[in-house]
Structures are given as C-alpha cells and as structure tokens.
Amino acid sequence: MLSNQAGDGKRTSLHGHWSSKMAFILAVTGSAVGLGNIWKFPYVAGENGGGAFVLVYLACVIAIGMPVMMSEILIGRRGRRNPVATTELLGQEEGSSRNWRYLGMLGVTAGILILSYYSVIAGWTLSYIVKSATGTFVGISNIEVVADHEAFKANTGLVSMVHTLFMVITTFVVARGVERGLEQAVRFMVPALLLMMLALLGYSISSGYFGAGVEFLFTPDFSKLGWDGVLEAMGQAFFTLSIGMGAIMAYGAYLPEETSITGASATVVAADTGIAILAGLVIFPLVFANGLQPDAGPGLVFQTLPMAFGQMSGGAFFSTLFFVLLSFAAWTSAIGLMEPAVAWLVESYNRTRAQAAVIIGALIWLIGFGSVFSWNIWKDNTFFQGTVFDNLDFLTNQIMLPVGGFFIAVFAGWVMCRNSTADELGGTGTAYTLWRFGARVIAPICILIVLYFAISQVVA
Ligand code: PFF
C-alpha cells in the first residue's frame, strides 16, 4: 500500500490493517498481557507490602490508564503513521507545533530501553522451559529452588544465550509485519494463558494458604507505602497496559475506522488487570504455603511456581507448559515494544521492514547485555537505583512512561480540537465526556502529583 490517503480523505496506514476488530483487540491484549502481569506485578506488589500498593495500582489503571489508552489509540488512528510522524503531523494539523514529534521520539526510545531488559527476563523464561522439561524442579525444596535460581542468573554465558535467542525470534516476527506475524501468535496465546492461570488458581486455593494470600493482596496498610511506592504502582499501571510510549499508538494506526475505541480499550484494560490479579492470587498463597519471601524481587515467580509444580503429580509437564505460555506472552509484548521504532525507521529512512527490524533488534540486543550482567559480572557495580537493570527499570517505568502518558493525555485532551477527538471516539456522549475529563484533568494532574512527590523523595 503506497498511498497514505484513502478515497474518502481519511488516511490509511502504510503497514496494512488489522483484519478485524477482534484481531486488534487480540493484538493489544497480547501486547498488554506479558511479563508485566505475571512476573512483575506479583514481585513489585510483594516488595511494597501488598494491599495498599494494589489499591493504588488499580486506581491508576482506571483513572489514568483508561483515558491514556483511549488517547493513544485515537491519536494513532488519526495519524495512521508511526508515533514520531503521527505526533508531528497532528501537532501541525491541529495548529500546534511539529515539535510534538519529540513525544514520539520519547516513546521510540522507551520501547528500545524497555525491550533491552524485557528480553533478558524473557530469556529466563525460555531457560525455565528446559529446566522444567528436564525435571529440575521435581520435589525441589524452598532452599534449593532459591539457590538454583541464584546460580542460574549468575551463569553469564547461558543468560546471554537465551537473551540472544529471544531477540532473534522477536525480530523475526516483527520483520514479517503486522498481520502475518502478530495476529497468529496472539490468537492462541491469550486464551491458553488464561486457562493455565485458572488451573493454577485451583491449585493455589487448595494449598491451605489462599486466605493469607488474599489478605496480603487486598488488605491495605498505607503505612507500608511511601511516595516511591505510589510512583512504582503508577509506573506498573503504565507498563502493564503498554501505554505511555506509543506502542498502542502504533497499533491504533492499523485500526479500521469503524471500530469503537472505548469498547476496545475497556476490553483490554479489563483483561490485563484481571490476569495480573489472577497472577497475584496464584502466587501469594503459594509463597506463604512454601515458606518463601513475598519481597524476593524479580526472582519471585521463578522460585514460587517451579516449587509448586515440583510438588504436583505431572508437575514437570505443567511447569513446562506454563513457561511456554509465559514465553509466548513475553514474545507478543516484545513485538509491541519494537513496533514504534521499526515503523519509524521504515517510514523515515525508507528501509524495508526486515532491514529495520534487524537494525533495531541488534541495537536492543546489545543494550540488553547491561541487564544480562546485572546479576553476575556487574552485580556489584551499583549506582543511583542499583544495577543497570534497576536503573533502566526505574528510568523507563517510573519516569519515561508517566511523562509520555502525561503528554499523550495533554495532546489528545488539549491540543487536538473537540471535533477531531469526537470524530474518532464516535460522538460526544457520556463516554466521550468522561474520557475528555480524564485526559484533560484527572490523568495529567495525578501524574504530576505523583511524579513531584516521588522525585522529591528520591532526590532528598
Ligand atoms: N505490557 C507488557 C507487560 O505487561 O509485560 C510490557 C510492555 C509491552 C510495555 C509493550 C510496553 C509496550 F509497548
């Protein structure tokens, strides 16, 4: 498709379109549901004392996540280009400035940085497929499972290899393009993962510690949560929904005109939040039942679940299946992380999709070694927030995504005129009024307040 202008005067995308509304919802859900739900949510909730963190996270999902997601999709569909070109084009078209393209650039950069460490953790999940299949976890004790995970992360060669493997398969799908690559991968993964989580929930309910897990997740104790924790909860809301960096904007560019943005956003937000809570309900009862620590950090899921599987009959099989599904979930998210940068390179520098994917993939792969080494040879080289991984995680989730989300909401709410946004959102009914108030007032103000107090605390 060479023309960027359809017969009715509306722009069309240069990269093809989703084959149906369902395909779009699946792709955005595939991007949203990933390591953020199953690996990250439980461990950050665990590190921040549970209940109060979860409550703030849920509030952020509703008050900030929903309006920002709708803003991203509508900006993307209106511009129909990569996030850099779209923000530049609409900035001009709406009578503001071309400089809005820096918002697109911020997103492209955030995607590259996030994928650099995301790929390392996804590499861990690939290794855990093999470990599960070869029976490493059968009958393993809590002390052994922790020691095994520590030894694994310290193995520089192995972790480098699986990080490389993950980047290769991600680059491959991105190179194949939107429809052929993505839709097929997601159609099967999301339902399968959900089924697996439900089966695990049954196991966790029977562990005898389900009540303790529920209490930890849902009883708020605000004395355990400082502004840094509130910022982390907000960052988690952005990360888990894939918003604030243009990934959803890039997907929105391929969305057919007639699809309801409000309906699609609500479906994705509900599915993503449901899967994160489900993961919490699976993990914490098992943590307490097995004498593990809720604040174990990034290793939490890699200790809790293998141990639980190790005690089940047929555990090696289920464990293998679980890590296969988690790798799939990571993979469909990783594609979303690469999409803004690749679409930008294709459109701005006239590259083929395959060339662009290889260039961006290689760059991300290289940066990823900073995180590979964070648990071994550079483990003790800490600065500011800790290791290279800790700093990348802080910079992207807690600074770049909220800042990106702030400007996305301001752009859609204040810079774009009412006619343009009402056109994309299908009129000016209640949903529109709620969205506009969220995008103009609630989301920007909440983001500013949290960033202000948290940064004052971090700097002090
Ligand atoms: N939402 C993904 C997760 O929860 O694992 C992470 C992510 C994917 C963030 C894509 C941003 C993005 F563009």
Side-chain angles (χ1 to χ4, degrees):
M1 204 182 310
L2 291 173
S3 158
N4 203 29
Q5 203 79 31
D8 59 0
K10 294 257 187 193
R11 275 180 288 270
T12 57
S13 162
L14 296 166
H15 303 264
H17 285 268
W18 303 108
S19 57
S20 66
K21 172 182 170 192
M22 194 58 196
F24 173 76
I25 292 185
L26 277 172
V28 178
T29 310
S31 157
V33 175
L35 296 172
N37 306 63
I38 290 165
W39 159 72
K40 191 142 205 222
F41 172 72
Y43 96 74
V44 285
E47 281 179 337
N48 287 286
F53 178 92
V54 175
L55 208 67
V56 175
Y57 155 78
L58 289 175
C60 290
V61 164
I62 294 166
I64 306 176
M66 189 65 194
V68 172
M69 174 164 299
M70 289 171 67
S71 304
E72 268 204 56
I73 302 178
L74 83 84
I75 294 171
R77 185 165 73 182
R78 196 137 190 102
R80 292 258 184 244
R81 298 179 186 185
N82 72 76
V84 181
T86 284
T87 43
E88 174 170 351
L89 176 79
L90 295 186
Q92 269 178 316
E93 209 169 81
E94 298 284 344
S96 179
S97 150
R98 297 184 54 198
N99 288 334
W100 280 99
R101 70 176 180 278
Y102 292 111
L103 175 57
M105 291 300 268
L106 179 73
V108 166
T109 315
I112 290 174
L113 293 179
I114 294 177
L115 187 50
S116 79
Y117 68 79
Y118 201 86
S119 165
V120 175
I121 309 296
W124 293 4
T125 65
L126 292 178
S127 290
Y128 271 64
I129 297 176
V130 179
K131 275 176 177 288
S132 301
T134 52
T136 310
F137 304 126
V138 177
I140 201 166
S141 75
N142 55 1
I143 298 179
E144 285 163 348
V145 85
V146 174
D148 182 75
H149 183 65
E150 293 305 320
F152 165 72
K153 286 185 299 190
N155 188 339
T156 318
L158 181 59
V159 179
S160 304
M161 198 179 84
V162 284
H163 159 59
T164 307
L165 181 62
F166 185 79
M167 277 316 299
V168 169
I169 56 181
T170 300
T171 306
F172 180 73
V173 180
V174 174
R176 278 171 48 122
V178 177
E179 294 194 357
R180 271 181 306 166
L182 245 177
E183 284 188 34
Q184 287 162 13
V186 179
R187 211 170 268 278
F188 147 82
M189 184 280 295
V190 177
L193 191 69
L194 190 64
L195 275 183
M196 185 82 196
M197 294 303 290
L198 285 174
L200 281 173
L201 181 68
Y203 182 76
S204 120
I205 290 175
S206 69
S207 70
Y209 284 78
F210 192 65
V214 170
E215 191 180 327
F216 181 77
L217 264 184
F218 295 115
T219 312
D221 176 356
F222 281 95
S223 66
K224 289 191 185 143
L225 197 72
W227 277 106
D228 52 347
V230 173
L231 176 62
E232 200 159 349
M234 183 171 83
Q236 173 63 17
F238 276 96
F239 182 76
T240 190
L241 296 174
S242 307
I243 53 177
M245 52 150 283
I248 302 293
M249 201 186 287
Y251 283 7
Y254 317 136
L255 184 62
E257 281 313 317
E258 59 284 0
T259 308
S260 152
I261 291 179
T262 313
S265 304
T267 310
V268 173
V269 168
D272 185 77
T273 310
I275 292 190
I277 298 291
L278 199 55
L281 287 175
V282 168
I283 304 282
F284 288 109
L286 298 177
V287 167
F288 298 125
N290 293 309
L292 293 162
Q293 294 304 322
D295 59 354
L300 185 69
V301 171
F302 295 93
Q303 298 167 3
T304 317
L305 291 183
M307 169 143 191
F309 285 122
Q311 294 161 357
M312 291 177 202
S313 61
F317 171 75
F318 289 114
S319 183
T320 310
L321 186 63
F322 173 80
F323 283 108
V324 167
L325 290 174
L326 188 55
S327 304
F328 257 107
W331 190 29
T332 54
S333 296
I335 294 163
L337 283 161
M338 251 175 106
E339 183 61 28
V342 170
W344 166 71
L345 208 57
V346 170
E347 289 173 32
S348 308
Y349 294 94
N350 239 347
R351 297 277 169 188
T352 64
R353 236 191 122 76
Q355 286 170 339
V358 169
I359 295 169
I360 300 287
L363 175 70
I364 294 172
W365 172 73
L366 262 185
I367 302 175
F369 283 92
S371 296
V372 168
F373 298 154
S374 291
W375 283 278
N376 36 68
I377 54 180
W378 289 353
K379 176 167 94 193
D380 299 318
N381 294 354
T382 54
F383 56 100
F384 188 46
Q385 293 288 311
T387 58
V388 173
F389 165 79
D390 296 325
N391 280 293
L392 279 175
D393 176 39
F394 177 79
L395 176 70
T396 52
N397 285 341
Q398 298 183 44
I399 307 292
M400 293 172 91
L401 297 186
V403 168
F406 172 86
F407 284 108
I408 286 167
V410 166
F411 186 80
W414 293 96
V415 175
M416 289 178 75
C417 69
R418 210 180 147 80
N419 283 346
S420 317
T421 49
D423 184 28
E424 291 300 329
L425 294 181
T428 52
T430 317
Y432 180 80
T433 312
L434 278 176
W435 164 75
R436 200 149 193 252
F437 185 63
R440 285 167 80 102
V441 182
I442 311 260
I445 291 185
C446 292
I447 295 171
L448 279 189
I449 293 177
V450 176
L451 278 177
Y452 174 79
F453 283 106
I455 289 176
S456 328
Q457 190 181 37
V458 169
V459 173

